[in-house]
Amino acid sequence: PFYEITGACAGVLYKNAQWGWRRNYNNAWNRLTYKIQPFDVQPETIGVLIRSDALGGEQITGRVQPLEEYAAAIEKLMTHRTSIFVVSSDEESLQWMAKRFGPIGYSQGLKRTDRRSDPEQHVTVPQTAEDAIQVVREVLTLARCTYLAHPVSNMSTAALYINPSLKSIYLP
């Protein structure tokens, strides 16, 4: 019911942190209880959320962000102590990031499509309660990172209000 924080509207929010939207939604989030634990991440972790090619229409720019744009954003933040945690619905993007940056963290054992250009799996394969738990677990993990490189995404939006101190690296 909260369309003002989804789709392209979220892109406007990402550019206007001064509106206090992250703190307001964080207050609402904190009233919820949950038992899902995030994955462990190291200090100085860059969280990365990569969207499927099919979702370019949800972006303010009307296009999906090329992996090279993610890489450029990550390289600006990298130090010898930085680790990377990637959330992606496809194997191709994970492999690309691992080839570019070496070992990366990601949720293992999840259902993923082979390629970024494939239709999103949750549209073509019935999902289970366990699938939903894993998505929340990934969001909670992104919220524990130091930085989040992301396009418009409900998962990004949630991570940003779960942790209002998370540094947003918005890729329009």
Side-chain angles (χ1 to χ4, degrees):
F2 302 105
Y3 292 110
E4 70 272 10
I5 65 169
T6 64
C9 295
V12 174
L13 292 177
Y14 299 156
K15 292 183 175 188
N16 291 287
Q18 74 276 11
W19 291 349
W21 68 273
R22 290 173 67 179
R23 180 69 55 206
N24 291 339
Y25 282 102
N26 177 259
N27 290 337
W29 173 260
N30 286 331
R31 289 194 302 267
L32 300 175
T33 59
Y34 57 89
K35 296 182 179 181
I36 302 171
Q37 294 300 307
F39 297 100
D40 288 329
V41 293
Q42 302 298 317
E44 294 189 43
T45 297
I46 301 169
V48 180
L49 191 136
I50 300 172
R51 301 291 312 266
S52 153
D53 287 347
L55 299 172
E58 294 183 9
Q59 307 304 312
I60 289 177
T61 58
R63 67 175 183 93
V64 74
Q65 297 68 20
L67 294 175
E68 284 293 339
E69 288 184 21
Y70 285 94
I74 292 167
E75 287 166 352
K76 288 180 184 176
L77 302 169
M78 290 290 293
T79 70
H80 66 282
R81 295 186 313 255
T82 306
S83 61
I84 299 171
F85 182 83
V86 180
V87 171
S88 175
S89 61
D90 68 274
E91 292 291 337
E92 176 183 48
S93 296
L94 291 175
Q95 292 171 12
W96 190 95
M97 295 296 280
K99 185 176 180 182
R100 179 74 173 250
F101 294 105
I104 59 169
Y106 62 94
S107 306
Q108 298 186 18
L110 296 182
K111 299 174 193 171
R112 290 190 174 85
T113 61
D114 291 332
R115 292 170 303 283
R116 194 172 183 204
S117 60
D118 291 340
E120 285 199 305
Q121 188 173 46
H122 72 270
V123 175
T124 60
V125 176
Q127 300 295 287
T128 66
E130 183 59 31
D131 294 325
I133 289 168
Q134 292 306 317
V135 168
V136 173
R137 193 170 187 204
E138 287 183 320
V139 169
L140 293 172
T141 304
L142 291 174
R144 294 181 75 191
C145 294
T146 306
Y147 301 95
L148 176 57
H150 64 95
V152 168
S153 161
N154 289 337
M155 293 173 72
S156 295
T157 303
L160 291 167
Y161 69 69
I162 290 168
N163 177 3
S165 299
L166 178 60
K167 295 172 184 81
S168 171
I169 311 301
Y170 173 48
L171 304 173

